[in-house]
Amino acid sequence: MTIFLTGAAGFIGSHVAEALLSRGERVVGIDNLNDYYSVDLKRARLARLSGRTGFDFIEGDVADRAAVDAALKRAASLGGPVTGIVHLAAQAGVRYSLENPYVYADANLMGQVVMLEATRGLDALTHFVYASSSSVYGANTKLPFSTDDPVDHPVSLYAATKRSGELIAHSFSHIHKVPTTGLRFFTVYGPWGRPDMAAYLFCDAIMAGRPIRVFNEGRMERDFTYIDDIVAGVLAALDHPAAPDARGVPTKLYNLGNHKSESLLRFIEVIERALGRTALKSLEPMQAGDVPATYADIEATRRDLGFDPATPIEVGIPKFVAWYKDYHGIA
């Protein structure tokens, strides 16, 4: 039996692959290795997986129908029928969606449609788990964010594509009865993290003696979630195929967050302490497409999946900083 994992060279994807392999799963990963951020970092993540028994990698684009069909056939030939799909491949980044909107339509919309349609030929498939985002909550002011809240007012194209992906999955499950579960990730950080995310950007700037950009003049709060907790949530979701809802549609949505909203300035303080350096701060206005606060209601995730995040930033940030220094050869 095989788990087909998209975005395998990505931050979350590579960690999920490692966790699946550690529990004895056969994993076939696909990634297009695009240059949105360092391809060397993506290849370094893959290098950690390449020697693991049960892992195979296929370079390909999830928005390419022929490539996905060929990859799924190869996956089945390598490890047996595909029983689960974890679809994490996406074009990430709120601010970049203002600059290059077309790649979001390709990766996040077409990619979702292609991956779901590809499941129709997989007789052994039991569950399709996919990545959504806390950004779907848009300008909502009620905290914490609940999956029962309305999400009809996205404030970025990225958020709009992620919400659209949820609706596409719902319609697919309604028609074809394939169980689908969407996971709304809340500001994930940790070792092997993305260079466009706050923790990495702040470390880069502090180590180089450059000012860090602090948006909304620091009046920001985020539900920062450590990668190990996210991975545990992804695997728990995969292991619990969505049951039919009141309308008979086998689809679910869950928040994966730390259930604690941290001040951005507090987050910076913990990074400063871990690095042993003080940050220079450039206080800037709120950026287009951004929101002042995020905070995950995880009651349903705890109840249904046993999800129990256990890593505060005081523990997670030093682990990220230790990896950052090692990866960049900093003593």
Side-chain angles (χ1 to χ4, degrees):
M1 303 299 182
T2 300
I3 305 298
F4 190 76
L5 172 69
T6 77
F11 170 36
I12 299 174
S14 60
H15 280 276
V16 169
E18 189 171 16
L20 287 168
L21 292 168
S22 293
R23 70 178 198 177
E25 304 279 6
R26 179 82 185 183
V27 179
V28 175
I30 186 171
D31 199 296
N32 67 356
L33 299 175
N34 70 29
D35 61 359
Y36 169 62
Y37 63 82
S38 169
V39 177
D40 288 340
L41 176 58
K42 295 178 182 181
R43 292 194 184 280
R45 293 175 184 143
L46 286 174
R48 299 174 64 240
L49 299 169
S50 62
R52 298 286 299 270
T53 300
F55 180 76
D56 290 282
F57 176 72
I58 300 168
E59 186 171 347
D61 191 333
V62 295
D64 182 331
R65 285 175 284 177
V68 168
D69 286 343
L72 283 167
K73 288 177 182 175
R74 185 179 167 198
S77 69
L78 288 168
V82 173
T83 57
I85 290 178
V86 180
H87 176 39
L88 303 179
Q91 178 58 56
V94 169
R95 296 184 186 103
Y96 187 58
S97 69
L98 304 177
E99 304 170 22
N100 194 353
Y102 302 108
V103 298
Y104 289 79
D106 290 340
N108 300 358
L109 297 180
M110 182 59 77
Q112 183 81 329
V113 172
V114 168
M115 286 304 306
L116 284 165
E117 281 294 315
T119 69
R120 294 173 64 184
L122 303 177
D123 295 337
L125 186 75
T126 61
H127 201 188
F128 182 99
V129 176
Y130 65 94
S132 187
S133 167
S134 63
S135 68
V136 301
Y137 292 106
N140 286 11
T141 56
K142 182 187 79 65
L143 296 174
F145 295 152
S146 167
T147 52
D148 293 327
D149 295 340
V151 284
D152 301 324
H153 300 94
V155 296
S156 69
L157 179 67
Y158 170 69
T161 62
K162 282 301 189 180
R163 177 55 181 154
S164 298
E166 294 177 352
L167 296 173
I168 290 166
H170 185 280
S171 66
F172 189 88
S173 291
H174 173 74
I175 295 168
H176 301 292
K177 305 307 178 186
V178 173
T180 61
T181 295
L183 302 175
R184 293 174 175 173
F185 296 140
F186 280 70
T187 316
V188 189
Y189 74 97
W192 298 97
R194 283 174 23 212
D196 63 319
M197 295 291 284
Y200 209 123
L201 289 170
F202 291 163
C203 284
D204 271 350
I206 292 169
M207 294 305 295
R210 300 191 311 270
I212 63 174
R213 303 178 70 189
V214 182
F215 296 117
N216 203 31
E217 298 182 338
R219 296 185 298 273
M220 304 275 279
E221 294 183 353
R222 287 290 181 271
D223 195 332
F224 295 102
T225 315
Y226 189 64
I227 183 62
D228 289 0
D229 293 326
I230 289 290
V231 170
V234 173
L235 267 60
L238 180 63
D239 292 341
H240 292 81
D245 62 16
R247 298 184 177 183
V249 183
T251 189
K252 294 290 289 186
L253 289 169
Y254 292 108
N255 288 333
L256 289 189
N258 200 40
H259 192 53
K260 185 176 183 182
S261 199
E262 301 276 4
S263 159
L264 179 60
L265 295 178
R266 170 67 179 151
F267 186 73
I268 294 168
E269 287 176 4
V270 178
I271 291 175
E272 289 175 317
R273 189 180 308 119
L275 287 172
R277 298 193 179 196
T278 301
L280 303 172
K281 301 180 184 72
S282 174
L283 301 182
E284 303 186 15
M286 180 77 82
Q287 296 290 287
D290 216 341
V291 297
T294 66
Y295 179 13
D297 179 340
I298 60 170
E299 181 180 350
T301 324
R302 278 188 168 131
R303 180 193 67 230
D304 296 352
L305 305 182
F307 178 67
D308 188 21
T311 315
I313 60 172
E314 290 81 7
V315 174
I317 285 297
K319 290 182 178 181
F320 169 75
V321 168
W323 168 82
Y324 174 89
K325 286 183 173 182
D326 180 67
Y327 182 72
H328 289 284
I330 300 171

